[in-house]
């Protein structure tokens, strides 16, 4: 897969590693994907909390 400079910049800023390192090292990919899953769960929970506070 070809990656863009935007992908590289995003990976560097959010995960402190290069996209090449992410693709090359299996352990790094697992670590990143676990972090992404945790962030997704937190965001989903926050969205649910905010939705429940909206007037009906």
């Amino acid at each position: 897969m070809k990656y863009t400079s935007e992908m590289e910049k995003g990976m560097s800023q959010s995960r402190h590693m290069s996209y090449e390192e992410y693709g090359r090292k299996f352990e790094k990919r697992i670590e990143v994907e676990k972090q992404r899953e945790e962030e997704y769960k937190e965001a989903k929970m926050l969205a649910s909390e905010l939705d429940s506070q909206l007037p009906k």
Side-chain angles (χ1 to χ4, degrees):
M1 175 176 151
K2 289 192 174 197
Y3 55 93
T4 66
S5 61
E6 289 83 17
M7 293 167 69
E8 182 68 35
K9 184 178 177 182
M11 180 66 79
S12 177
Q13 288 177 345
S14 66
R15 306 294 174 203
H16 308 291
M17 72 176 73
S18 68
Y19 197 82
E20 183 179 343
E21 182 180 7
Y22 168 81
R24 191 176 62 233
K25 296 185 178 180
F26 181 73
E27 295 83 16
K28 293 288 185 178
R29 280 189 301 225
I30 295 297
E31 181 182 320
V32 166
E33 295 309 320
K34 283 181 181 180
Q35 290 172 351
R36 286 181 176 164
E37 180 70 21
E38 195 60 37
E39 291 168 359
Y40 169 77
K41 288 177 183 179
E42 290 173 9
K44 193 172 179 180
M45 189 170 62
L46 179 60
S48 177
E49 288 176 15
L50 292 173
D51 283 345
S52 70
Q53 295 177 3
L54 290 175
K56 297 182 180 183

